[in-house]
Amino acid sequence: MKSKKLSIPYIAWMVIFTMIPIVMIGITAFKDKSGNFSLEAFSKAFGYTGVFMKSLWIALISTVICLVLAYPLAYLLTKMKSSTQRVVQMLIMVPMWMNFLLRIYAWKILLQKNGPLDMALSLLGIHGTYINNTGAVVVGMVYEYLPFMVLPIFTVMSKIDGQLIEAAQDLGSNNITVLRKVIFPLSIPGVISGITMVFVPTASTFLVAEQLGGKDDTMIGDVIDRIFLTDQSTGSAISLVLMVFILVFLILMNLFGDEEAIA
Amino acid sequence: MEQKEKKVIVSLNDIFVRFDGEVILNHINLDIHEKEFVTILGPSGCGKTTTLRVIGGFLEPESGDIIFDGERINGLPPHKRNVNTVFQKYSLFPHLNVFDNVAFGLKLKKLPKQEIKQKVMKMLAIVDLKGYEKRSVSKLSGGQQQRVAIARALVCDPEIILLDEPLGALDLKLRKSMQLELKEIQQQTEKTFIYVTHDQEEALTMSDRVVVMNNGVIEQIGTPEDIYNEPVNAFVADFIGEANILNGTMIDDCRVRILGKELECVDKGFGKNSPVDVVIRPEDIIIVPPENGQLTGVVESVTFKGVHYEMSIRVGKCEILVQSTRCAELNSTVGMRVIPFNIQIMNKLLPIQSNTIDAVVTYADENERYFEFELEDETVTVKDKFIPQGSKVRIYLPFDALSITGEGEGDLTDVYIESVVYKGEHNEIILESDTRKWLMLSDTDEQVATYVPLYFDFSKASFEIISPGEKEGGK
């Protein structure tokens, strides 16, 4: 009984700030400008299929790169002395203390024509454009979301009982087989939450693509940002479609996670 | 006995291990024979698990050799040693089912699938887990998990199985049946088992030989009977089973004086009038009418224990524990007899009459009547006694002049409690400071292997001036 009473504020919070807004977006998405029921907004939303695909593509690449970078880093972190571990963890976190906008502008300056990167590479005789393309967007995304991949993997990995590793060695595993047969399978929950925490925000984020990408690199977050003030219905419809994509993705990830837990 | 003929499978030669400056294994020597069930027994912190880890390859000793089947295997990583471990907390792989846990080692050996299956199934049958292959290990009971861990180690067909307190987490009844099962498995598979435990009963029940360890050294190695009947010192006697450990004096060969009475015994060669520890097991004391007793005492308590009665009998200041199937009346005076063979004489753990300190007076004040000296880099102040500066003095502190409770930081701030042995009247405690050992008496039970401050009561001390200090050396 007591626990039920305690949960009332949270339930109220969820209803007011989660349930009601979703319902309102749902209603808005099915209205036309004069307020009548209409599927017009959805037909407009499907005009952005290319942008959807691009967003999911960028999110996927960014997530994969984050995973490839974060997994060894998390593994190395667990091997460090706890004092060094704290310092490295700090260094991973520090960029997140800086404002999101500033971080993106910093990348813009770094990558721009005659910017530091361009200048440095020019000295070596390499010329090229490093901004306003998909690559720059991915770089920005990876930079933004890498900590969200490292930390959950590290957390799960550092909880693996050291004696399990000793047991594996005892049964004939060298360091590589220990990693492959014990550490990796046991760290999968961390990998899954890392993927979720990177993929979902990268797919829906705005500004990164607008600032670092080229003409073709518009992402769905930017579209919503741009049209919502003038056309709430279409903005809501796009949000709903995005939400469905993300839900499907989450369900798939969870299914995968459960299977791993059983196997 | 017959073990002499067996081949030595693993031997530890002069193994020395230190963590953060603290000695964990102090030059251990141990030979283990083929097909033997050896138990390493000792209190927590004695170094028994460390010994196992050295054999398993999880820990490199600072010095000393590990010889396996005639070859030195120092530095060889665990996965290349023909040894498998059953870990204390089982350490089953939570992401694998029972079959895959047991098959883990065989799969790494790249055996054909059919062979793996056959071996795993056979092993699961041995540990009585047929039909559990597909179960998740987290759904098994403690005893079942334990058996999976044993199967997982055994199936790899190693020369030696190391078991680190494998039954520690099980309840008493299950532990008893697993003890028998383990012994059976060992005999059936003909493997060498090295078993670590702090449970003396477990060690006596299962082992061919028991290795008793304390403070990083081996106190005694022997068959369970040897260890129980012929303990080499008061520590072993106290640790294995219940025992009355008394202070005694060897009058002559085969004559010992305890509790003011001379008794006949069978031990020789301790020297005339030398102080010794005397061990009498409670079940070896026979209750007789007072006039027939070698010792007489008053029955202070009687407890029914099922198979026997346990009685506490007071002789002078000492209480003696007696186990007998016949019950003596409470508060009655009874006589006690012990046959000479059942009186065990042992050298004292620390053969000293009193704690002596050889000191040089570093400062002295004649008016305030005190002096100071240095002991292990700490300054000790002796009040109400004046000895001139520069004097060499020998201070005799009786055992009751030492204490580990008092005000302030203590005369020595950090001493190690090495052993606590109950001597019928009070506990005899051996303390170790940086450079030496101390013997102290205490009425309270102190925790072994902990660090405590040490206080001296110099009002009970006697002083012998070896050489007087120079007069102008004063002030």
Side-chain angles (χ1 to χ4, degrees):
Chain A
M1 285 312 280
K2 213 176 175 185
S3 63
K4 265 188 188 165
K5 273 183 190 160
L6 275 174
S7 65
I8 287 174
Y10 300 102
I11 292 170
W13 177 276
M14 298 274 276
V15 169
I16 297 169
F17 295 106
T18 310
M19 302 300 286
I20 294 177
I22 288 176
V23 171
M24 282 167 69
I25 286 174
I27 294 169
T28 317
F30 289 100
K31 277 181 182 169
D32 62 14
K33 279 195 181 123
S34 48
N36 298 320
F37 175 81
S38 148
L39 288 174
E40 194 193 336
F42 281 93
S43 64
K44 277 193 199 161
F46 283 106
Y48 291 103
T49 310
V51 181
F52 268 114
M53 287 303 139
K54 186 87 191 182
S55 299
L56 294 176
W57 178 238
I58 287 175
L60 185 70
I61 296 177
S62 307
T63 308
V64 169
I65 294 176
C66 276
L67 181 60
V68 168
L69 292 177
Y71 198 87
L73 177 58
Y75 178 67
L76 290 177
L77 257 176
T78 58
K79 298 259 160 193
M80 288 172 189
K81 279 190 304 189
S82 60
S83 52
T84 5
Q85 212 174 63
R86 273 194 292 275
V87 173
V88 176
Q89 253 180 302
M90 264 278 272
L91 290 176
I92 295 170
M93 298 287 289
V94 161
M96 291 166 70
W97 301 352
M98 207 65 72
N99 182 281
F100 171 74
L101 273 173
L102 280 187
R103 278 177 286 168
I104 296 305
Y105 288 141
W107 271 108
K108 200 171 173 177
I109 293 164
L110 266 176
L111 299 178
Q112 73 194 2
K113 190 91 198 138
N114 298 323
L117 182 73
D118 193 18
M119 301 266 263
L121 289 176
S122 298
L123 288 176
L124 299 171
I126 304 166
H127 298 278
T129 319
Y130 309 107
I131 198 161
N132 299 334
N133 54 32
T134 312
V137 179
V138 171
V139 167
M141 291 291 189
V142 169
Y143 183 77
E144 286 296 330
Y145 293 103
L146 187 62
F148 294 98
M149 187 66 90
V150 177
L151 296 178
I153 297 177
F154 168 68
T155 308
V156 171
M157 242 186 216
S158 59
K159 280 192 193 129
I160 296 175
D161 187 354
Q163 229 178 41
L164 285 179
I165 293 161
E166 285 193 353
Q169 290 172 335
D170 186 76
L171 293 164
S173 309
N174 55 28
N175 288 340
I176 295 162
T177 37
V178 167
L179 187 63
R180 202 161 52 84
K181 296 198 123 188
V182 179
I183 297 176
F184 184 70
L186 290 177
S187 63
I188 279 180
V191 171
I192 286 174
S193 69
I195 289 176
T196 314
M197 285 173 79
V198 173
F199 184 83
V200 173
T202 39
S204 60
T205 196
F206 72 119
L207 201 80
V208 182
E210 195 181 286
Q211 292 297 323
L212 301 176
K215 280 201 297 292
D216 303 333
D217 296 318
T218 311
M219 286 179 73
I220 205 69
D222 297 308
V223 172
I224 298 173
D225 178 42
R226 213 182 306 135
I227 68 171
F228 196 78
L229 289 178
T230 54
D231 182 358
Q232 289 194 356
S233 297
T234 312
S236 300
I238 296 172
S239 298
L240 278 185
V241 174
L242 184 63
M243 208 167 85
V244 169
F245 270 115
I246 288 170
L247 269 176
V248 168
F249 170 77
L250 286 180
I251 289 166
L252 284 176
M253 286 312 282
N254 276 333
L255 279 180
F256 185 61
D258 285 348
E259 229 162 73
E260 274 303 320
I262 293 162
Chain B
M1 292 191 289
E2 53 173 349
Q3 273 150 14
K4 290 258 158 62
E5 298 149 29
K6 281 190 184 170
K7 191 174 98 181
V8 173
I9 182 83
V10 68
S11 60
L12 300 178
N13 294 339
D14 207 29
I15 297 289
F16 186 77
V17 173
R18 185 157 48 180
F19 286 143
D20 300 329
E22 204 178 318
V23 176
I24 307 294
L25 292 183
N26 201 351
H27 302 287
I28 293 275
N29 286 291
L30 179 61
D31 283 347
I32 288 161
H33 305 104
E34 226 175 15
K35 298 175 189 171
E36 194 180 21
F37 197 125
V38 176
T39 301
I40 305 177
L41 174 68
S44 53
C46 72
K48 54 192 192 300
T49 297
T50 308
T51 309
L52 215 59
R53 291 176 65 78
V54 165
I55 300 172
F58 297 109
L59 193 82
E60 237 358 82
E62 210 170 297
S63 65
D65 295 328
I66 312 146
I67 311 292
F68 185 89
D69 216 356
E71 255 176 80
R72 187 174 178 274
I73 56 162
N74 290 51
L76 199 68
H79 68 271
K80 293 196 176 146
R81 296 192 182 193
N82 198 4
V83 167
N84 286 109
T85 309
V86 177
F87 291 89
Q88 196 169 9
K89 292 178 291 171
Y90 321 137
S91 294
L92 301 179
F93 302 116
H95 58 295
L96 302 176
N97 63 21
V98 171
F99 183 93
D100 288 327
N101 259 284
V102 178
F104 195 93
L106 298 178
K107 283 184 182 167
L108 286 169
K109 283 187 185 163
K110 304 238 155 56
L111 295 184
K113 267 210 165 124
Q114 202 49 44
E115 197 183 334
I116 291 179
K117 188 165 181 196
Q118 204 183 330
K119 284 191 169 180
V120 171
M121 291 315 224
K122 193 180 149 207
M123 197 47 71
L124 284 176
I126 290 181
V127 297
D128 210 11
L129 280 176
K130 239 181 188 168
Y132 284 75
E133 314 78 78
K134 293 275 174 283
R135 296 267 189 111
S136 154
V137 288
S138 58
K139 302 234 163 70
L140 299 180
S141 71
Q144 290 166 336
Q145 290 190 18
Q146 190 52 69
R147 291 203 291 259
V148 176
I150 291 163
R152 185 177 69 175
L154 273 171
V155 82
C156 297
D157 200 29
E159 294 277 354
I160 301 177
I161 302 269
L162 307 175
L163 303 101
D164 186 5
E165 305 217 21
L167 308 182
L170 307 180
D171 64 63
L172 186 69
K173 213 171 163 192
L174 193 54
R175 201 155 69 218
K176 297 252 180 205
S177 71
M178 281 300 291
Q179 285 171 10
L180 297 177
E181 243 176 273
L182 265 178
K183 182 75 192 164
E184 232 169 75
I185 291 170
Q186 189 256 341
Q187 283 164 347
Q188 204 179 332
T189 54
E190 298 204 307
K191 299 283 173 208
T192 307
F193 273 42
I194 306 178
Y195 190 98
V196 158
T197 182
H198 64 268
D199 183 336
Q200 45 100 8
E201 204 197 317
E202 203 163 279
L204 297 180
T205 310
M206 296 194 289
S207 322
D208 296 321
R209 280 198 307 159
V210 179
V211 178
V212 185
M213 282 186 75
N214 187 32
N215 280 313
V217 297
I218 293 175
E219 299 278 1
Q220 189 170 4
I221 304 176
T223 63
E225 290 91 340
D226 283 349
I227 300 272
Y228 188 84
N229 294 331
E230 309 270 337
V232 293
N233 60 32
F235 170 80
V236 177
D238 191 43
F239 196 74
I240 311 282
E242 287 186 276
N244 295 294
I245 305 172
L246 305 164
N247 288 318
T249 311
M250 243 9 222
I251 304 298
D252 205 339
D253 279 351
C254 301
R255 302 269 330 149
V256 65
R257 181 164 55 223
I258 44 168
L259 302 166
K261 296 276 162 46
E262 263 184 51
L263 299 180
E264 198 187 323
C265 61
V266 292
D267 295 278
K268 295 174 188 172
F270 284 86
K272 281 187 185 178
N273 293 318
S274 55
V276 288
D277 280 335
V278 179
V279 172
I280 304 172
R281 296 284 178 192
E283 68 271 23
D284 291 336
I285 299 174
I286 307 152
I287 303 278
V288 292
E291 58 275 15
N292 296 341
Q294 293 164 305
L295 300 164
T296 52
V298 179
V299 181
E300 282 208 321
S301 75
V302 179
T303 318
F304 180 58
K305 291 274 181 178
V307 183
H308 56 74
Y309 293 92
E310 196 166 276
M311 288 163 279
S312 173
I313 296 175
R314 180 162 293 273
V315 181
K317 279 183 177 172
C318 241
E319 40 173 321
I320 305 278
L321 190 69
V322 178
Q323 288 169 351
S324 167
T325 48
R326 271 189 296 170
C327 173
E329 207 172 313
L330 199 61
N331 295 323
S332 65
T333 302
V334 295
M336 288 175 277
R337 294 196 73 84
V338 188
I339 61 165
F341 181 76
N342 285 332
I343 298 177
Q344 278 302 315
I345 311 289
M346 306 173 307
N347 281 317
K348 284 197 159 288
L349 283 169
L350 190 60
I352 55 171
Q353 305 286 342
S354 69
N355 299 291
T356 55
I357 305 172
D358 283 321
V360 177
V361 178
T362 50
Y363 180 79
D365 191 322
E366 193 161 10
N367 298 326
E368 300 284 329
R369 290 194 62 76
Y370 75 91
F371 71 92
E372 291 175 353
F373 64 90
E374 298 274 315
L375 181 63
E376 297 183 352
D377 296 330
E378 297 188 58
T379 304
V380 180
T381 308
V382 182
K383 287 191 178 131
D384 301 321
K385 179 86 188 171
F386 173 75
I387 291 171
Q389 187 170 341
S391 305
K392 278 188 184 161
V393 61
R394 180 165 290 169
I395 307 168
Y396 298 93
L397 282 159
F399 302 139
D400 61 348
L402 267 58
S403 151
I404 56 172
T405 49
E407 279 170 33
E409 287 199 311
D411 293 306
L412 289 175
T413 47
D414 232 5
V415 297
Y416 181 77
I417 302 185
E418 194 184 280
S419 77
V420 177
V421 175
Y422 185 63
K423 287 282 179 72
E425 225 179 312
H426 35 232
N427 286 313
E428 254 184 38
I429 297 179
I430 296 177
L431 301 165
E432 192 179 5
S433 63
D434 291 348
T435 57
R436 56 172 292 177
K437 291 184 180 184
W438 307 85
L439 187 64
M440 183 188 99
L441 303 181
S442 165
D443 290 328
T444 50
D445 243 335
E446 308 297 343
Q447 184 65 43
V448 236
T450 52
Y451 287 89
V452 290
L454 177 61
Y455 303 86
F456 301 123
D457 180 358
F458 288 106
S459 67
K460 290 176 180 162
S462 57
F463 300 87
E464 182 191 339
I465 299 193
I466 309 287
S467 73
E470 299 154 33
K471 277 279 176 249
E472 60 267 43
K475 37 163 200 162

